[in-house]
């Protein structure tokens, strides 16, 4: 397993204004992103760790989780992190028709808009799967899709120490968008070790810019 997704070779040919795989390479910024929250048990200690290190991140939230934990979603935004759309139920998009796919996005946008006031949000498809018709629809509407350039592999449920060693063997680079999750303790365990190391290397941890 490697932290560098193979699909980047294809995605980087698409317009960067519509499909994002990297953040700004100016300076020494890293962009932490967290999928699948907000989670009542795991998101709060993660927010506390980020605050401890004055780090910002982007949270791609699931609509049904926002409905279950609205106060936690509001806390994420109030602490200076950006909100992204990760669908309403985290379905297999390739099994849905276009209308159902767009409904998943729009329902979640409505919930996010009630928190941060923005009409739409950068979208990250569950499992990174973006069916061609949906991608074409997003292109026509100039709707941004955000992927990642570095996969922490935390969903593999390997021990945190093993995942940290993989990351050390494949160092992050300025501008990397890191894929992580806030639905288990793994991201917290990994970042407790990695954030001090990255900051010692001169990296700043920033949130991705919000969409209009």
């Amino acid at each position: 397993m490697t932290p560098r997704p193979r699909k980047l070779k294809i995605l980087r040919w698409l317009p960067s204004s519509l499909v994002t795989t990297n953040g700004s390479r100016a300076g020494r910024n890293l962009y932490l992103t967290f999928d699948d929250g907000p989670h009542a048990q795991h998101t709060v200690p993660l927010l506390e760790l980020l605050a401890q290190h004055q780090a910002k991140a982007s949270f791609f939230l699931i609509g049904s989780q926002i409905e279950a934990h609205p106060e936690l979603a509001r806390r994420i935004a109030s602490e200076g992190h950006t909100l992204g759309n990760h669908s309403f139920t985290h379905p297999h998009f390739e099994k849905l028709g276009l209308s159902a796919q767009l409904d998943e996005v729009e329902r979640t946008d409505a919930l996010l808009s009630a928190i941060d006031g923005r009409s739409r949000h950068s979208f990250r498809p569950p499992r990174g799967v973006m069916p061609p018709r949906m991608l074409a629809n997003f292109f026509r509407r100039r709707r941004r899709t955000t992927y990642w350039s570095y996969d922490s592999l935390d969903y593999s449920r390997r021990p945190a120490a093993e995942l940290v060693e993989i990351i050390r063997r494949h160092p992050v680079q300025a501008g990397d968008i890191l894929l992580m999750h806030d639905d288990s303790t793994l991201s917290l365990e990994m970042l407790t070790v990695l954030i001090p190391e990255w900051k010692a290397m001169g990296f700043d941890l920033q949130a991705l810019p919000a969409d209009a």
Side-chain angles (χ1 to χ4, degrees):
M1 301 178 76
T2 173
R4 299 289 175 187
R6 287 192 294 270
K7 68 171 60 177
L8 281 179
K9 295 179 180 179
I10 298 174
L11 292 174
R12 283 174 174 161
W13 286 96
L14 299 175
S16 59
S17 60
L18 298 176
V19 176
T20 299
T21 56
N22 279 90
S24 171
R25 297 184 184 278
R28 293 276 289 172
N29 290 338
L30 297 177
Y31 300 89
L32 291 175
T33 66
F34 300 96
D35 289 5
D36 296 353
H39 192 285
Q41 179 181 354
H42 302 300
T43 303
V44 170
L46 188 57
L47 288 173
E48 292 171 349
L49 178 69
L50 294 174
Q52 176 186 340
H53 291 284
Q54 299 180 325
K56 301 302 180 185
S58 301
F59 288 76
F60 288 84
L61 304 183
I62 296 174
S64 60
Q65 289 294 103
I66 299 173
E67 287 191 335
H69 310 291
E71 73 294 334
L72 188 48
R74 287 192 292 268
R75 176 177 171 178
I76 293 170
S78 71
E79 294 188 5
H81 308 290
T82 57
L83 303 181
N85 187 323
H86 197 45
S87 80
F88 190 81
T89 63
H90 204 274
H92 289 269
F93 269 81
E94 67 275 17
K95 297 180 180 179
L96 301 180
L98 180 61
S99 177
Q101 293 167 353
L102 298 180
D103 182 66
E104 285 274 339
V105 177
E106 291 161 5
R107 290 176 69 187
T108 305
D109 260 349
L111 293 168
L112 294 169
S113 295
I115 297 170
D116 64 13
R118 293 188 286 116
S119 60
R120 65 182 185 179
H121 300 76
S122 184
F123 177 68
R124 175 173 284 170
R127 305 170 191 87
V129 176
M130 192 74 165
R133 288 184 65 201
M134 188 177 183
L135 184 62
N137 180 278
F138 270 46
F139 273 34
R140 285 196 300 271
R141 295 188 293 145
R142 303 198 66 77
R143 176 79 191 248
R144 184 187 299 275
T145 304
T146 299
Y147 282 88
W148 54 90
S149 58
Y150 197 99
D151 186 346
S152 72
L153 307 173
D154 60 352
Y155 52 84
S156 69
R157 301 301 193 236
R158 296 184 181 189
E162 181 179 337
L163 294 173
V164 166
E165 286 306 314
I166 292 173
I167 290 173
R168 286 171 174 161
R169 290 199 302 270
H170 302 272
V172 295
Q173 300 172 7
D176 270 337
I177 297 175
L178 284 78
L179 172 66
M180 304 194 84
H181 297 78
D182 58 339
D183 60 350
S184 78
T185 62
L186 275 173
S187 60
L188 179 69
E189 294 170 13
M190 295 167 67
L191 290 174
T192 298
V193 175
L194 290 169
I195 288 179
E197 292 185 4
W198 290 335
K199 295 194 77 171
M201 296 175 188
F203 288 112
D204 289 322
L205 300 171
Q206 299 290 336
L208 291 168
D211 275 10

